[in-house]
Amino acid sequence: MRKSTLLIADKDGDFREELQRLIKQQGFPAVCWACCNGLEALKYINALQPDLVLMNAELPGKSGFEVLDAAIDVPAAILLADSPAYAAKAFEYHAVDYLLKPFTAERLELALRRSELRSSPMAGTRHLHAPNTGFPTRILVEKGRRLTSIPVDKITHFKADKDYTWIHTINGESYLSTNGIGQLERKLNPAHFIRIHRSYIVNIDYIQELYRDISKLFVALPNAIEINVGRNYMPAIKELMF
């Protein structure tokens, strides 16, 4: 059996050693690497391209989420934390699991099993990504105190709101994501979503028409939405013109 490459990222050195001991004790076939902060974690991920990362959500230097945003190839991740505060955000990042410290050996074993299922040949039937694309077909968004699943193809556009982003759907509903619009852009299929302004991403399938008003170009979407195309994003629109 091929050994997986596994990275542990946590500021507590004793915890890192104990975690490696538990993983070895459970017979999980892995070569373990370890680091103590977000900057190191990002370097290790980009250099090693590990199969699995066990990473604290609150790493010094860069948070676990900032590391995943900046990684060239995003690995499967089990996120660790001292409180449930980041659980919802972990779902948005499609984390394999979310472990509250301290956790038992049995709970760790369950998380490792989930990571194996995620990487198995049949994994495509178990998570929310489209076959052969790596891009999600459904996403989990906050609605009150719950997370609700919405199809990506029902999203008409995204609108930046400072460090957050509003997600708008064809049925007129909107959801606030704690991710910035640049973070979301990297997670979307560019065959369907294009950036037309520094504050807007639109679903190409819902563009109804383009029109000029004096010197500005506007995109018309359903629900009477009209968005000004930014000058720097004009080439993306021209690619759609035949």
Side-chain angles (χ1 to χ4, degrees), residues 210-212 217-218 229 234-242:
L210 300 174
Y211 69 90
R212 287 193 178 276
L217 182 67
F218 288 83
V229 179
M234 199 70 72
I237 289 294
K238 289 183 177 180
E239 286 291 322
L240 300 178
M241 298 179 181
F242 285 79

Side-chain angles (χ1 to χ4, degrees), residues 70-111:
I72 296 172
D73 291 307
V74 181
I78 295 173
L79 292 175
L80 318 171
D82 296 310
S83 78
Y86 303 100
K89 195 168 185 177
F91 277 108
E92 292 182 11
Y93 279 72
H94 305 288
V96 173
D97 209 335
Y98 186 82
L99 298 183
L100 286 177
K101 299 164 65 177
F103 46 81
T104 64
E106 291 75 19
R107 184 66 183 85
L108 173 62
E109 181 181 13
L110 176 60

